[in-house]
Amino acid sequence: MAYRLFEGKEHAASYQRYRISPSDQLIQQAFDFLAKQKGRPFELAVDVGCGSGQGTLLLAKHFVSVVGTDVSPAQLEVASQCAKESNITYRHCVAEELPFADSSVDLVTAMSAFHWFDRPRFLREAHRVLKPRGCLALVNYTIDMELSYPDCCSHSLNQVCKEFYAALKPYRSPHLGPSTIELYREAYESISYPDKEWQECMWDRRPMPLSSYMGLVESFSSYQALLRDDPQKAARLSEDICQRLMSVMRVISADTEVEVAVKYFYLLASKPQEA
């Protein structure tokens, strides 16, 4: 079954403010794969579970038309407010019932969303709407992000991060199992397409204020579950972690910029010509 989370207006705003999108280098892997399998021009891309639309924006300059879909009206409202490109539109629907004709879509993407879907149903639906030689691209990143700061002990800094992640682990959704990456690996193995690729360790390093790193972790489902269960405990945890990180960095402001290393993994698969 699919799980419906992240639908409130406050969480949608948090997504827009803090959630990250794949790097140009990573998303280019999907474009190169599609070009190799199908060739250009790229006509229609569908970003499923698009949330507040950061990933959808990456597709705009490469396709004639881009459609972001999501089950949450609040997320789509935020995404629509931030979409400046005229070739992007948004549709409200579940991931397992896409409002597109058979064999009509060049690229189906899901960026940090596939693990919440009814995965077998979604894969069948993606197969239905993809054109022959069209491609499926499933992208996600792991929670074990790493921080670095000049003249600072990385081990001490990341030990605090690990304690943050460990404190959230009891609030992890049972739907995700012990490791999200395993869900994607299982999907990769289940897809019978002969042309497919799997990458499970692609690091992306980006600068951001420490406060944005905190906001990113706080947008995760496990922190949100803690927040619903015990708001005071959630606030104390965040404040404690942030203060300890600043102490290790020897700074007094959470606006201080740190480098955040994010480990991505992705699945690419091309629908056969005869399917």
Side-chain angles (χ1 to χ4, degrees):
M1 63 177 292
Y3 276 63
R4 298 183 62 157
L5 300 170
F6 319 113
E7 294 189 46
K9 289 187 176 182
E10 289 186 7
H11 203 175
S14 175
Y15 249 53
Q16 175 58 40
R17 184 174 182 182
Y18 296 117
R19 276 293 173 124
I20 56 177
S21 56
S23 65
D24 291 340
Q25 178 188 6
L26 192 157
I27 206 70
Q28 189 63 46
Q29 301 296 317
F31 298 148
D32 291 346
F33 184 79
L34 179 60
K36 178 181 176 182
Q37 299 297 328
K38 185 183 175 298
R40 297 176 185 272
F42 299 161
E43 294 176 340
L44 174 61
V46 177
D47 183 24
V48 185
C50 66
S52 48
Q54 289 96 321
T56 317
L57 294 173
L58 298 176
L59 306 173
K61 64 182 179 181
H62 299 276
F63 290 83
V64 175
S65 179
V66 178
V67 181
T69 76
D70 204 276
V71 73
S72 166
Q75 292 280 8
L76 292 176
E77 181 180 351
V78 171
S80 297
Q81 291 170 353
C82 298
K84 307 301 182 184
E85 288 75 4
S86 60
N87 64 333
I88 294 180
T89 57
Y90 291 97
R91 300 286 295 274
H92 178 237
C93 67
V94 297
E96 302 80 11
E97 298 176 16
L98 299 174
F100 303 97
D102 295 359
S103 303
S104 62
V105 179
D106 294 279
L107 178 70
V108 172
T109 67
M111 307 184 202
S112 302
F114 170 71
H115 43 283
W116 295 116
F117 302 162
D118 182 325
R119 296 182 292 275
R121 283 185 61 202
F122 168 74
L123 292 176
R124 290 193 294 270
E125 185 70 345
H127 176 81
R128 180 186 69 80
V129 302
L130 280 172
K131 295 177 181 178
R133 310 308 300 172
C135 294
L136 172 67
L138 305 178
V139 181
N140 196 20
Y141 53 90
T142 65
I143 193 174
D144 53 343
M145 296 171 289
E146 297 180 356
L147 304 187
S148 60
Y149 184 72
D151 302 320
C152 173
C153 176
S154 293
H155 174 77
S156 299
L157 196 62
N158 287 299
Q159 188 59 42
V160 178
C161 295
K162 289 178 181 178
E163 292 178 27
F164 196 9
Y165 310 146
L168 298 178
K169 191 172 183 179
Y171 299 90
R172 179 180 173 85
S173 170
H175 173 73
L176 300 178
S179 172
T180 306
I181 194 171
E182 291 299 328
L183 305 180
Y184 287 73
R185 189 181 289 113
E186 289 171 8
Y188 175 79
E189 296 296 338
S190 74
I191 294 172
S192 60
Y193 300 167
D195 295 308
K196 57 184 182 178
E197 293 183 7
W198 170 255
Q199 168 61 261
E200 63 179 63
C201 186
M202 184 173 184
W203 286 92
D204 176 31
R205 302 178 186 278
R206 61 185 70 195
M208 66 177 68
L210 179 62
S211 58
S212 292
Y213 161 77
M214 295 298 301
L216 173 58
V217 178
E218 289 169 5
S219 75
F220 291 161
S221 62
S222 53
Y223 185 87
Q224 291 294 312
L226 169 59
L227 188 63
R228 289 191 298 271
D229 184 64
D230 191 334
Q232 291 184 337
K233 182 177 179 181
R236 287 195 304 269
L237 174 64
S238 284
E239 183 177 355
D240 176 64
I241 292 294
C242 189
Q243 289 296 327
R244 290 173 61 194
L245 289 172
M246 288 193 294
S247 178
V248 174
M249 294 162 60
R250 298 189 295 277
V251 299
I252 59 173
S253 172
D255 293 330
T256 304
E257 195 169 84
V258 295
E259 183 179 78
V260 181
V262 184
K263 186 170 74 172
Y264 279 91
F265 53 92
Y266 62 80
L267 178 168
L268 304 173
S270 174
K271 179 177 177 179
Q273 183 67 39
E274 301 294 335

